[in-house]
Amino acid sequence: MRAFRAGFALELWIIRSNPDALMPLFTAPLFAIIFMAIVRQSGRPDLESDALMAPVLMTLLWVALQHAGTLMVGDRWQALLEPIIASPTSLASVLLGRIMSLMCFGLLSFFEVWAVGKLVFGVSIPFEHPVELFLTLVCTALAMAGLAVTFSALLVMTRNAYTFTNSTSFPLYLLGGVFVPVAILPDWIQPVSSILFVSWSSDLLRASVNEAPVESFWPRLGMVLLLGTASFAIGRVVLHYVLRRMRASGELAAA
Amino acid sequence: MEAVEVEEITRVFEPRRRSGTRVVALDEVSLTVPTGEIHGLLGPNGAGKTTLVKILSTVLLPTSGKARVLGHDVVDETEAVRPLIGIVFGGERGLYWRLSGRQNLEYWGALYKLSSREAKERAQQLLERVGMADKADERVEEYSRGMKQRLHLARGLMGDGKVLFLDEPTTGMDPLAAREFRALIGELRDEGRTILLATHDMVEAEMVCDRVTLIDRGKVIATESPRTLGQVLSRFQRIDVEGVPLVVLDEIRAIRGVASVTAVDGVGTRIEVDEEGATQLVLERLVSAGATSVRTSLPSLEEVYVQLIGERGMEI
Ligand SMILES: Nc1ncnc2c1ncn2[C@@H]1O[C@H](COP(=O)(O)OP(=O)(O)OP(=O)(O)O)[C@@H](O)[C@H]1O
Ligand SMILES: [Mg+2]
C-alpha cells in the first residue's frame, strides 16, 4: 500500500510539472464532437449517450497504453530503473500507483464529454443510474491500470515501444467495443472480446448512461474487476520474468 | 560477520548484436569487506567496478561465482539484501529531473518503506547534511552536476542502509564539496556502516579508505593499505616544464631518482621521478636555471599499476 501511495504521489508531482500526459484530455472533447455529429447525421438519438462514452474509454485506454505503458521505458532511460529495483519495494505496486494517478486524470474526460454533450449538442446524459455509472468508471480505471502494468513490463523489452503502443491501441478499441457494441462485430471475434475487460466495461458504461434498467449489473461489474485483477496478476508475473531476464542480460541500464 | 563477501565472481556480457564482442567484465573476482570498513575499489575505466557494484546491489546477475551482503546471497536472497543496502551511482542521470530534490528524496523514502512523515523528516535531515537545504525545492534539472551528485548521495542514505555502495560519488563535485563528502564518509563509518567505494581517483582512495582493492580488466591486482598507495604516489611524480636549456636537462637526467627525461608534444619536457626526495632536487635545479612554467602531477593509475605489478613480479 505504501508503494502504491508512493507511486501515486510521484506521478501527481510529475504531471504537475509536465502536463504532457494530459494530452488526451484535449482530444476527448473533439472525438465526442465527431461521434455526436455522426450520430446526429444518421438520425439516431438513441445512440447519443453511446457516442459520448466512446471518447471516455478511448481516453482511459490511451492513457493506459501511451503513458502508463511507457513508464518503465522512461525510468530505464533516466537510469532510474536500477536503483528502484535495488530498493525493497515491489515495482509492480509502485507502477500500479503511478498508473492510477494517470487514470484519475483520464476520468476527467467523463466530465468533458458531458459538457460537450450539454453545451454543443444540448443533450444531457441521463443520470438514471449514478451508482452503477460511478462504480463502472472506477472499476474500469482499476482494470486499465492492471492492464497497463503488463504493457509496461512488455514494452521495456521492445526496442520501439511507441510503435508497439500505437499499433495496439486501435485493435483494442475495436475488440473492446469502444466505438460500437461487440455484439455487432463478426461472431468469431466475440470470444476474444469477452476475455477483454474493456468489452465488459464499455457495455456496462453504455448501459449505465441509458434510461433502461442495467441488467445483471453486479455480475458484469464483477467480470470487469475479475478480468482487471487477472491482468494485474499477469502483469506481475510478466514483470517478474522481464526483470529477471534484464538482470541476467545487463539491460536494466540503458546504454 | 563480513559485510561483503565476493567469491570468484565472473560476469560476461554476451554481444547483443551479431557484430558485437563478448566482454568479460569480471574475471573470478574475490574480495571481502569486514563490517565497518571503508573499502576502495580502484581501477581505470572499464575495469569492472560498476559491474561489481551492480551485482552486489542485486540489479545484475553474475555469470558465475557467489556474493553475499551481511550473509545474504545477492542472487537468491534479494529480499533480505535490499533493505540492508544503500546505493549511490554517479552521473547526472538517475533522478527525476522534473521534480525537486526534496520530492525525489521523499519518493525514495517511500520505496524504503518509510511513512510519509518519516520520509519528510529524513529528507530534510539529509538535505542539510549534504548542504542542499536551500536548494531543496528547486527542480533537479536546474541543479549543477555537483548538486545532483550530492542529491544522489542523500538519496543513497534515505534507506538507512548498513552497507553502502558508492560508485564514483564525487564526479562533478568541486574540491571543497569533495572534501566535505570525504568527511561525511568518515561519519558514516563511525555510525557503523560499511562502505564500498568505487573510484578511479587514487588520491580519493588513499584519503578515505581503510583498504583498497585494485582491479584492472576484470581482475583483482592487489588489495593494499592506502599507505602503500600513498608511498607509490609520493615516490612517483611527473614534472612538466618548458624552455629549459639542454645542458640543464642533461644535469637533471643525472640526478639520482630521475627515471626519464623526454620531449612530449604540446607539453615541452616531461621528467619522471621514481624515488622519494628526487622531485625536490629536480625542482630546485629547474628554478635556479630560471624555468618558470613548471607543473608537477601525479602518475596515472596505469603507471602506478605498472609500478606495483613490477615490484611484485606479477603479470597482467
Ligand atoms: N550492460 C552492459 N552490457 C554490455 N557490456 C557492459 C555492460 N556493462 C558494462 N559492460 C562492459 O564491461 C566492462 C566493465 O565495465 P564497468 O562499467 O564495470 O567498468 P568501470 O570500472 O565501472 O569503468 P568506469 O570507470 O568507466 O565507470 C566494460 O568493458 C563495459 O563495456
Ligand atoms: Mg563505472
Side-chain angles (χ1 to χ4, degrees), chain A residues 2 6 10 13 17 75 77-80 82 85-86 88-89 94 98 247-248 250 252, chain B residues 11 16 54 58-61 82 93-94 96 98-99 103 107 110-114 139:
Chain A
R2 205 161 267 178
L10 175 76
W13 285 331
S17 70
D75 275 8
W77 279 108
Q78 292 174 75
L80 280 153
E82 284 182 322
I85 304 296
T89 290
V94 180
R98 291 183 67 177
R247 281 164 67 212
L252 275 180
Chain B
R11 171 70 217 207
R16 279 181 210 167
K54 284 185 178 175
T58 76
V59 297
L60 184 68
L61 299 177
R82 288 175 182 164
R93 299 188 308 155
Y96 288 99
R98 310 255 188 174
L99 305 190
Q103 288 170 331
Y107 173 61
L111 293 188
Y112 280 84
K113 315 219 164 183
L114 302 183
R139 282 195 196 192

mmCIF file of all heavy atoms in Angstrom, chain A residues 2 6 10 13 17 75 77-80 82 85-86 88-89 94 98 247-248 250 252, chain B residues 11 16 54 58-61 82 93-94 96 98-99 103 107 110-114 139:
data_model
loop_
_atom_site.group_PDB
_atom_site.id
_atom_site.type_symbol
_atom_site.label_atom_id
_atom_site.label_comp_id
_atom_site.label_asym_id
_atom_site.label_seq_id
_atom_site.Cartn_x
_atom_site.Cartn_y
_atom_site.Cartn_z
ATOM 1 N N ARG A 2 1.974 1.187 0.753
ATOM 2 C CA ARG A 2 2.870 2.328 0.806
ATOM 3 C C ARG A 2 3.502 2.556 -0.567
ATOM 4 O O ARG A 2 3.663 3.687 -1.009
ATOM 5 C CB ARG A 2 3.958 2.032 1.842
ATOM 6 C CG ARG A 2 4.564 3.256 2.417
ATOM 7 C CD ARG A 2 5.256 2.930 3.722
ATOM 8 N NE ARG A 2 4.375 3.136 4.858
ATOM 9 C CZ ARG A 2 4.743 2.882 6.114
ATOM 10 N NH1 ARG A 2 5.932 2.395 6.362
ATOM 11 N NH2 ARG A 2 3.912 3.102 7.100
ATOM 12 N N ALA A 6 3.237 5.784 -2.841
ATOM 13 C CA ALA A 6 4.436 6.478 -3.320
ATOM 14 C C ALA A 6 4.333 6.703 -4.819
ATOM 15 O O ALA A 6 4.638 7.784 -5.320
ATOM 16 C CB ALA A 6 5.677 5.651 -2.996
ATOM 17 N N LEU A 10 4.107 10.280 -6.690
ATOM 18 C CA LEU A 10 5.170 10.586 -7.652
ATOM 19 C C LEU A 10 4.567 11.070 -8.966
ATOM 20 O O LEU A 10 4.963 12.094 -9.519
ATOM 21 C CB LEU A 10 6.017 9.336 -7.911
ATOM 22 C CG LEU A 10 7.075 9.527 -8.996
ATOM 23 C CD1 LEU A 10 8.247 10.346 -8.471
ATOM 24 C CD2 LEU A 10 7.583 8.200 -9.527
ATOM 25 N N TRP A 13 3.140 14.538 -8.893
ATOM 26 C CA TRP A 13 4.195 15.552 -8.996
ATOM 27 C C TRP A 13 4.658 15.694 -10.434
ATOM 28 O O TRP A 13 4.861 16.792 -10.934
ATOM 29 C CB TRP A 13 5.392 15.155 -8.130
ATOM 30 C CG TRP A 13 5.196 15.340 -6.661
ATOM 31 C CD1 TRP A 13 4.394 16.259 -6.049
ATOM 32 C CD2 TRP A 13 5.831 14.593 -5.615
ATOM 33 N NE1 TRP A 13 4.494 16.120 -4.684
ATOM 34 C CE2 TRP A 13 5.363 15.122 -4.391
ATOM 35 C CE3 TRP A 13 6.746 13.536 -5.591
ATOM 36 C CZ2 TRP A 13 5.781 14.628 -3.154
ATOM 37 C CZ3 TRP A 13 7.165 13.050 -4.357
ATOM 38 C CH2 TRP A 13 6.687 13.584 -3.155
ATOM 39 N N SER A 17 4.353 18.996 -12.956
ATOM 40 C CA SER A 17 5.464 19.744 -13.530
ATOM 41 C C SER A 17 5.520 19.585 -15.047
ATOM 42 O O SER A 17 6.207 20.330 -15.718
ATOM 43 C CB SER A 17 6.777 19.290 -12.905
ATOM 44 O OG SER A 17 7.067 17.989 -13.346
ATOM 45 N N ASP A 75 11.726 5.341 -17.116
ATOM 46 C CA ASP A 75 12.606 5.182 -15.954
ATOM 47 C C ASP A 75 13.939 4.573 -16.374
ATOM 48 O O ASP A 75 14.994 4.951 -15.877
ATOM 49 C CB ASP A 75 11.956 4.266 -14.910
ATOM 50 C CG ASP A 75 11.019 5.041 -13.989
ATOM 51 O OD1 ASP A 75 10.781 6.231 -14.266
ATOM 52 O OD2 ASP A 75 10.532 4.443 -13.007
ATOM 53 N N TRP A 77 15.418 4.802 -19.273
ATOM 54 C CA TRP A 77 16.248 5.783 -19.970
ATOM 55 C C TRP A 77 16.861 6.788 -19.023
ATOM 56 O O TRP A 77 17.921 7.328 -19.271
ATOM 57 C CB TRP A 77 15.457 6.488 -21.074
ATOM 58 C CG TRP A 77 15.425 5.631 -22.281
ATOM 59 C CD1 TRP A 77 14.356 4.940 -22.766
ATOM 60 C CD2 TRP A 77 16.535 5.304 -23.136
ATOM 61 N NE1 TRP A 77 14.746 4.215 -23.865
ATOM 62 C CE2 TRP A 77 16.063 4.424 -24.117
ATOM 63 C CE3 TRP A 77 17.886 5.688 -23.162
ATOM 64 C CZ2 TRP A 77 16.873 3.906 -25.117
ATOM 65 C CZ3 TRP A 77 18.692 5.169 -24.153
ATOM 66 C CH2 TRP A 77 18.192 4.288 -25.118
ATOM 67 N N GLN A 78 16.184 7.064 -17.942
ATOM 68 C CA GLN A 78 16.739 8.029 -16.989
ATOM 69 C C GLN A 78 17.596 7.342 -15.938
ATOM 70 O O GLN A 78 17.901 7.927 -14.910
ATOM 71 C CB GLN A 78 15.616 8.782 -16.297
ATOM 72 C CG GLN A 78 14.869 9.703 -17.236
ATOM 73 C CD GLN A 78 13.675 10.325 -16.542
ATOM 74 O OE1 GLN A 78 13.798 11.215 -15.742
ATOM 75 N NE2 GLN A 78 12.505 9.833 -16.801
ATOM 76 N N ALA A 79 17.954 6.084 -16.182
ATOM 77 C CA ALA A 79 18.795 5.324 -15.254
ATOM 78 C C ALA A 79 18.168 5.222 -13.872
ATOM 79 O O ALA A 79 18.860 5.213 -12.856
ATOM 80 C CB ALA A 79 20.208 5.916 -15.170
ATOM 81 N N LEU A 80 16.831 5.185 -13.824
ATOM 82 C CA LEU A 80 16.155 5.087 -12.537
ATOM 83 C C LEU A 80 15.732 3.666 -12.216
ATOM 84 O O LEU A 80 15.434 3.336 -11.075
ATOM 85 C CB LEU A 80 14.904 5.972 -12.562
ATOM 86 C CG LEU A 80 15.197 7.441 -12.343
ATOM 87 C CD1 LEU A 80 14.145 8.305 -12.993
ATOM 88 C CD2 LEU A 80 15.273 7.724 -10.848
ATOM 89 N N GLU A 82 17.352 0.804 -12.239
ATOM 90 C CA GLU A 82 18.235 0.023 -11.368
ATOM 91 C C GLU A 82 18.099 0.395 -9.897
ATOM 92 O O GLU A 82 17.875 -0.493 -9.065
ATOM 93 C CB GLU A 82 19.686 0.150 -11.837
ATOM 94 C CG GLU A 82 19.932 -0.684 -13.063
ATOM 95 C CD GLU A 82 21.359 -0.628 -13.539
ATOM 96 O OE1 GLU A 82 21.972 0.454 -13.480
ATOM 97 O OE2 GLU A 82 21.879 -1.654 -13.983
ATOM 98 N N ILE A 85 14.833 -0.976 -8.598
ATOM 99 C CA ILE A 85 14.855 -2.424 -8.414
ATOM 100 C C ILE A 85 15.651 -2.789 -7.160
ATOM 101 O O ILE A 85 15.315 -3.735 -6.449
ATOM 102 C CB ILE A 85 15.511 -3.135 -9.626
ATOM 103 C CG1 ILE A 85 14.811 -2.771 -10.922
ATOM 104 C CG2 ILE A 85 15.553 -4.649 -9.446
ATOM 105 C CD1 ILE A 85 13.404 -3.206 -11.024
ATOM 106 N N ALA A 86 16.700 -2.023 -6.892
ATOM 107 C CA ALA A 86 17.543 -2.339 -5.737
ATOM 108 C C ALA A 86 16.873 -1.974 -4.414
ATOM 109 O O ALA A 86 17.384 -2.297 -3.355
ATOM 110 C CB ALA A 86 18.888 -1.620 -5.860
ATOM 111 N N PRO A 88 13.730 -2.067 -1.532
ATOM 112 C CA PRO A 88 12.967 -3.218 -1.037
ATOM 113 C C PRO A 88 11.504 -3.251 -1.486
ATOM 114 O O PRO A 88 10.744 -4.089 -1.027
ATOM 115 C CB PRO A 88 13.034 -3.066 0.491
ATOM 116 C CG PRO A 88 13.699 -1.792 0.772
ATOM 117 C CD PRO A 88 14.007 -1.089 -0.493
ATOM 118 N N THR A 89 11.120 -2.357 -2.380
ATOM 119 C CA THR A 89 9.706 -2.259 -2.742
ATOM 120 C C THR A 89 9.413 -2.963 -4.054
ATOM 121 O O THR A 89 10.236 -2.948 -4.954
ATOM 122 C CB THR A 89 9.321 -0.775 -2.819
ATOM 123 O OG1 THR A 89 9.316 -0.244 -1.511
ATOM 124 C CG2 THR A 89 7.945 -0.590 -3.427
ATOM 125 N N VAL A 94 4.342 0.012 -7.194
ATOM 126 C CA VAL A 94 4.666 1.404 -7.499
ATOM 127 C C VAL A 94 4.057 1.787 -8.840
ATOM 128 O O VAL A 94 3.439 2.847 -8.986
ATOM 129 C CB VAL A 94 6.197 1.619 -7.562
ATOM 130 C CG1 VAL A 94 6.512 3.074 -7.868
ATOM 131 C CG2 VAL A 94 6.842 1.212 -6.256
ATOM 132 N N ARG A 98 1.327 4.688 -9.809
ATOM 133 C CA ARG A 98 1.572 5.739 -10.795
ATOM 134 C C ARG A 98 0.476 5.740 -11.850
ATOM 135 O O ARG A 98 -0.004 6.789 -12.267
ATOM 136 C CB ARG A 98 2.937 5.513 -11.465
ATOM 137 C CG ARG A 98 4.096 5.747 -10.529
ATOM 138 C CD ARG A 98 5.427 5.601 -11.230
ATOM 139 N NE ARG A 98 5.628 6.652 -12.221
ATOM 140 C CZ ARG A 98 6.743 6.788 -12.937
ATOM 141 N NH1 ARG A 98 7.737 5.945 -12.760
ATOM 142 N NH2 ARG A 98 6.855 7.760 -13.809
ATOM 143 N N ARG A 247 18.064 -8.522 -15.565
ATOM 144 C CA ARG A 247 19.196 -8.596 -14.641
ATOM 145 C C ARG A 247 20.244 -9.556 -15.206
ATOM 146 O O ARG A 247 21.435 -9.368 -14.994
ATOM 147 C CB ARG A 247 18.741 -9.085 -13.263
ATOM 148 C CG ARG A 247 18.089 -7.992 -12.428
ATOM 149 C CD ARG A 247 17.334 -8.597 -11.272
ATOM 150 N NE ARG A 247 18.217 -9.232 -10.306
ATOM 151 C CZ ARG A 247 17.894 -10.298 -9.581
ATOM 152 N NH1 ARG A 247 16.704 -10.846 -9.705
ATOM 153 N NH2 ARG A 247 18.750 -10.802 -8.729
ATOM 154 N N ALA A 248 19.778 -10.564 -15.900
ATOM 155 C CA ALA A 248 20.728 -11.515 -16.473
ATOM 156 C C ALA A 248 21.469 -10.887 -17.654
ATOM 157 O O ALA A 248 22.678 -11.030 -17.792
ATOM 158 C CB ALA A 248 20.008 -12.781 -16.907
ATOM 159 N N GLY A 250 21.852 -7.677 -18.349
ATOM 160 C CA GLY A 250 22.505 -6.394 -18.117
ATOM 161 C C GLY A 250 21.788 -5.253 -18.814
ATOM 162 O O GLY A 250 22.354 -4.188 -19.008
ATOM 163 N N LEU A 252 19.022 -3.686 -17.757
ATOM 164 C CA LEU A 252 18.275 -2.762 -16.897
ATOM 165 C C LEU A 252 18.795 -1.353 -17.075
ATOM 166 O O LEU A 252 18.067 -0.383 -16.984
ATOM 167 C CB LEU A 252 18.441 -3.159 -15.425
ATOM 168 C CG LEU A 252 17.513 -4.221 -14.867
ATOM 169 C CD1 LEU A 252 17.837 -4.452 -13.412
ATOM 170 C CD2 LEU A 252 16.067 -3.802 -15.020
ATOM 171 N N ARG B 11 31.625 -12.160 -14.569
ATOM 172 C CA ARG B 11 30.463 -11.634 -15.294
ATOM 173 C C ARG B 11 30.865 -11.410 -16.752
ATOM 174 O O ARG B 11 31.801 -10.675 -17.041
ATOM 175 C CB ARG B 11 29.990 -10.327 -14.680
ATOM 176 C CG ARG B 11 28.931 -9.600 -15.505
ATOM 177 C CD ARG B 11 27.583 -10.315 -15.519
ATOM 178 N NE ARG B 11 26.957 -10.196 -16.816
ATOM 179 C CZ ARG B 11 25.634 -10.241 -17.031
ATOM 180 N NH1 ARG B 11 24.805 -10.412 -16.028
ATOM 181 N NH2 ARG B 11 25.146 -10.154 -18.237
ATOM 182 N N ARG B 16 25.120 -8.149 -27.959
ATOM 183 C CA ARG B 16 23.691 -8.017 -28.237
ATOM 184 C C ARG B 16 23.422 -8.095 -29.731
ATOM 185 O O ARG B 16 22.388 -8.518 -30.168
ATOM 186 C CB ARG B 16 23.166 -6.693 -27.695
ATOM 187 C CG ARG B 16 22.904 -6.835 -26.211
ATOM 188 C CD ARG B 16 22.371 -5.565 -25.616
ATOM 189 N NE ARG B 16 22.807 -5.487 -24.231
ATOM 190 C CZ ARG B 16 22.733 -4.409 -23.499
ATOM 191 N NH1 ARG B 16 22.264 -3.296 -24.007
ATOM 192 N NH2 ARG B 16 23.138 -4.431 -22.253
ATOM 193 N N LYS B 54 27.019 -3.326 -9.194
ATOM 194 C CA LYS B 54 25.656 -3.693 -9.605
ATOM 195 C C LYS B 54 25.306 -5.113 -9.177
ATOM 196 O O LYS B 54 24.178 -5.382 -8.770
ATOM 197 C CB LYS B 54 25.505 -3.556 -11.118
ATOM 198 C CG LYS B 54 25.383 -2.105 -11.537
ATOM 199 C CD LYS B 54 25.124 -1.971 -13.010
ATOM 200 C CE LYS B 54 24.968 -0.497 -13.367
ATOM 201 N NZ LYS B 54 24.842 -0.314 -14.818
ATOM 202 N N THR B 58 22.232 -6.255 -6.350
ATOM 203 C CA THR B 58 21.172 -7.168 -6.815
ATOM 204 C C THR B 58 20.536 -6.776 -8.144
ATOM 205 O O THR B 58 19.530 -7.342 -8.529
ATOM 206 C CB THR B 58 19.991 -7.342 -5.811
ATOM 207 O OG1 THR B 58 19.158 -6.179 -5.856
ATOM 208 C CG2 THR B 58 20.471 -7.588 -4.404
ATOM 209 N N VAL B 59 21.106 -5.816 -8.869
ATOM 210 C CA VAL B 59 20.455 -5.442 -10.119
ATOM 211 C C VAL B 59 21.085 -6.115 -11.338
ATOM 212 O O VAL B 59 20.602 -5.953 -12.451
ATOM 213 C CB VAL B 59 20.394 -3.915 -10.330
ATOM 214 C CG1 VAL B 59 19.565 -3.275 -9.246
ATOM 215 C CG2 VAL B 59 21.767 -3.292 -10.403
ATOM 216 N N LEU B 60 22.148 -6.859 -11.099
ATOM 217 C CA LEU B 60 22.783 -7.576 -12.195
ATOM 218 C C LEU B 60 23.153 -8.960 -11.678
ATOM 219 O O LEU B 60 23.588 -9.091 -10.533
ATOM 220 C CB LEU B 60 24.038 -6.807 -12.642
ATOM 221 C CG LEU B 60 24.804 -7.336 -13.843
ATOM 222 C CD1 LEU B 60 23.977 -7.170 -15.112
ATOM 223 C CD2 LEU B 60 26.133 -6.580 -14.000
ATOM 224 N N LEU B 61 22.939 -9.978 -12.508
ATOM 225 C CA LEU B 61 23.273 -11.331 -12.062
ATOM 226 C C LEU B 61 24.685 -11.684 -12.507
ATOM 227 O O LEU B 61 25.087 -11.352 -13.614
ATOM 228 C CB LEU B 61 22.278 -12.335 -12.662
ATOM 229 C CG LEU B 61 20.816 -12.146 -12.280
ATOM 230 C CD1 LEU B 61 19.939 -13.162 -13.011
ATOM 231 C CD2 LEU B 61 20.627 -12.276 -10.778
ATOM 232 N N ARG B 82 18.142 -6.284 -0.076
ATOM 233 C CA ARG B 82 17.764 -4.924 -0.493
ATOM 234 C C ARG B 82 17.524 -3.924 0.653
ATOM 235 O O ARG B 82 17.952 -2.779 0.543
ATOM 236 C CB ARG B 82 16.571 -4.989 -1.449
ATOM 237 C CG ARG B 82 17.016 -5.526 -2.796
ATOM 238 C CD ARG B 82 15.892 -5.749 -3.771
ATOM 239 N NE ARG B 82 16.444 -6.302 -5.014
ATOM 240 C CZ ARG B 82 15.728 -6.886 -5.961
ATOM 241 N NH1 ARG B 82 14.421 -6.985 -5.825
ATOM 242 N NH2 ARG B 82 16.306 -7.366 -7.032
ATOM 243 N N ARG B 93 22.313 11.243 -14.464
ATOM 244 C CA ARG B 93 21.001 10.626 -14.566
ATOM 245 C C ARG B 93 20.646 9.933 -13.252
ATOM 246 O O ARG B 93 21.367 10.041 -12.291
ATOM 247 C CB ARG B 93 21.005 9.648 -15.732
ATOM 248 C CG ARG B 93 21.304 10.382 -17.043
ATOM 249 C CD ARG B 93 21.118 9.494 -18.236
ATOM 250 N NE ARG B 93 21.832 8.250 -18.111
ATOM 251 C CZ ARG B 93 21.478 7.129 -18.738
ATOM 252 N NH1 ARG B 93 20.447 7.134 -19.523
ATOM 253 N NH2 ARG B 93 22.173 6.028 -18.582
ATOM 254 N N GLY B 94 19.509 9.270 -13.246
ATOM 255 C CA GLY B 94 19.145 8.533 -12.045
ATOM 256 C C GLY B 94 18.337 9.346 -11.050
ATOM 257 O O GLY B 94 18.195 8.968 -9.894
ATOM 258 N N TYR B 96 14.661 12.047 -10.858
ATOM 259 C CA TYR B 96 13.555 12.623 -11.614
ATOM 260 C C TYR B 96 13.832 14.114 -11.784
ATOM 261 O O TYR B 96 13.729 14.878 -10.828
ATOM 262 C CB TYR B 96 12.222 12.377 -10.897
ATOM 263 C CG TYR B 96 11.781 10.943 -10.973
ATOM 264 C CD1 TYR B 96 11.999 10.066 -9.922
ATOM 265 C CD2 TYR B 96 11.170 10.451 -12.121
ATOM 266 C CE1 TYR B 96 11.611 8.735 -10.005
ATOM 267 C CE2 TYR B 96 10.775 9.124 -12.206
ATOM 268 C CZ TYR B 96 11.003 8.276 -11.146
ATOM 269 O OH TYR B 96 10.629 6.966 -11.233
ATOM 270 N N ARG B 98 12.322 16.470 -13.313
ATOM 271 C CA ARG B 98 11.247 17.459 -13.259
ATOM 272 C C ARG B 98 10.785 17.713 -11.838
ATOM 273 O O ARG B 98 9.997 18.604 -11.595
ATOM 274 C CB ARG B 98 10.050 16.979 -14.059
ATOM 275 C CG ARG B 98 10.397 16.516 -15.419
ATOM 276 C CD ARG B 98 9.977 17.540 -16.411
ATOM 277 N NE ARG B 98 10.142 17.024 -17.760
ATOM 278 C CZ ARG B 98 9.728 17.680 -18.822
ATOM 279 N NH1 ARG B 98 9.135 18.821 -18.676
ATOM 280 N NH2 ARG B 98 9.923 17.169 -20.013
ATOM 281 N N LEU B 99 11.253 16.876 -10.924
ATOM 282 C CA LEU B 99 10.833 17.054 -9.535
ATOM 283 C C LEU B 99 11.910 17.799 -8.770
ATOM 284 O O LEU B 99 13.046 17.915 -9.217
ATOM 285 C CB LEU B 99 10.609 15.698 -8.862
ATOM 286 C CG LEU B 99 9.643 14.723 -9.517
ATOM 287 C CD1 LEU B 99 9.393 13.560 -8.575
ATOM 288 C CD2 LEU B 99 8.337 15.402 -9.861
ATOM 289 N N GLN B 103 11.346 16.270 -3.342
ATOM 290 C CA GLN B 103 10.376 15.278 -3.814
ATOM 291 C C GLN B 103 11.068 13.968 -4.187
ATOM 292 O O GLN B 103 10.580 12.882 -3.871
ATOM 293 C CB GLN B 103 9.607 15.827 -5.022
ATOM 294 C CG GLN B 103 8.621 16.910 -4.640
ATOM 295 C CD GLN B 103 8.041 17.628 -5.846
ATOM 296 O OE1 GLN B 103 8.681 17.742 -6.886
ATOM 297 N NE2 GLN B 103 6.822 18.117 -5.714
ATOM 298 N N TYR B 107 10.091 10.440 -2.321
ATOM 299 C CA TYR B 107 9.702 9.254 -3.087
ATOM 300 C C TYR B 107 10.595 8.080 -2.705
ATOM 301 O O TYR B 107 10.133 6.968 -2.436
ATOM 302 C CB TYR B 107 9.816 9.553 -4.578
ATOM 303 C CG TYR B 107 9.607 8.362 -5.482
ATOM 304 C CD1 TYR B 107 8.410 7.666 -5.477
ATOM 305 C CD2 TYR B 107 10.619 7.940 -6.347
ATOM 306 C CE1 TYR B 107 8.221 6.582 -6.324
ATOM 307 C CE2 TYR B 107 10.429 6.864 -7.191
ATOM 308 C CZ TYR B 107 9.240 6.182 -7.178
ATOM 309 O OH TYR B 107 9.049 5.109 -8.000
ATOM 310 N N ALA B 110 9.751 6.491 0.536
ATOM 311 C CA ALA B 110 8.610 5.574 0.468
ATOM 312 C C ALA B 110 9.038 4.229 -0.101
ATOM 313 O O ALA B 110 8.580 3.182 0.356
ATOM 314 C CB ALA B 110 7.501 6.183 -0.379
ATOM 315 N N LEU B 111 9.949 4.245 -1.067
ATOM 316 C CA LEU B 111 10.432 2.973 -1.612
ATOM 317 C C LEU B 111 11.175 2.175 -0.542
ATOM 318 O O LEU B 111 11.233 0.959 -0.595
ATOM 319 C CB LEU B 111 11.359 3.195 -2.807
ATOM 320 C CG LEU B 111 10.746 3.779 -4.078
ATOM 321 C CD1 LEU B 111 11.755 3.737 -5.211
ATOM 322 C CD2 LEU B 111 9.498 3.022 -4.479
ATOM 323 N N TYR B 112 11.751 2.892 0.420
ATOM 324 C CA TYR B 112 12.424 2.204 1.525
ATOM 325 C C TYR B 112 11.494 2.065 2.725
ATOM 326 O O TYR B 112 11.936 1.955 3.860
ATOM 327 C CB TYR B 112 13.744 2.902 1.866
ATOM 328 C CG TYR B 112 14.817 2.497 0.887
ATOM 329 C CD1 TYR B 112 14.940 3.143 -0.334
ATOM 330 C CD2 TYR B 112 15.641 1.410 1.134
ATOM 331 C CE1 TYR B 112 15.876 2.731 -1.277
ATOM 332 C CE2 TYR B 112 16.576 0.987 0.212
ATOM 333 C CZ TYR B 112 16.691 1.646 -0.987
ATOM 334 O OH TYR B 112 17.607 1.229 -1.918
ATOM 335 N N LYS B 113 10.197 2.125 2.459
ATOM 336 C CA LYS B 113 9.159 1.793 3.422
ATOM 337 C C LYS B 113 9.075 2.743 4.604
ATOM 338 O O LYS B 113 8.666 2.350 5.698
ATOM 339 C CB LYS B 113 9.329 0.337 3.918
ATOM 340 C CG LYS B 113 9.596 -0.615 2.767
ATOM 341 C CD LYS B 113 8.900 -1.919 2.922
ATOM 342 C CE LYS B 113 8.903 -2.616 1.566
ATOM 343 N NZ LYS B 113 8.232 -3.838 1.495
ATOM 344 N N LEU B 114 9.470 3.988 4.410
ATOM 345 C CA LEU B 114 9.254 4.969 5.471
ATOM 346 C C LEU B 114 7.829 5.505 5.343
ATOM 347 O O LEU B 114 7.285 5.582 4.246
ATOM 348 C CB LEU B 114 10.224 6.142 5.318
ATOM 349 C CG LEU B 114 11.711 5.829 5.314
ATOM 350 C CD1 LEU B 114 12.507 7.115 5.227
ATOM 351 C CD2 LEU B 114 12.099 5.072 6.567
ATOM 352 N N ARG B 139 13.773 22.492 -8.928
ATOM 353 C CA ARG B 139 13.762 21.299 -9.756
ATOM 354 C C ARG B 139 15.173 20.789 -10.015
ATOM 355 O O ARG B 139 16.094 21.589 -10.219
ATOM 356 C CB ARG B 139 13.167 21.622 -11.114
ATOM 357 C CG ARG B 139 11.683 21.705 -11.118
ATOM 358 C CD ARG B 139 11.292 21.643 -12.561
ATOM 359 N NE ARG B 139 9.926 22.092 -12.759
ATOM 360 C CZ ARG B 139 9.283 21.915 -13.913
ATOM 361 N NH1 ARG B 139 9.905 21.342 -14.928
ATOM 362 N NH2 ARG B 139 8.069 22.329 -14.048
#
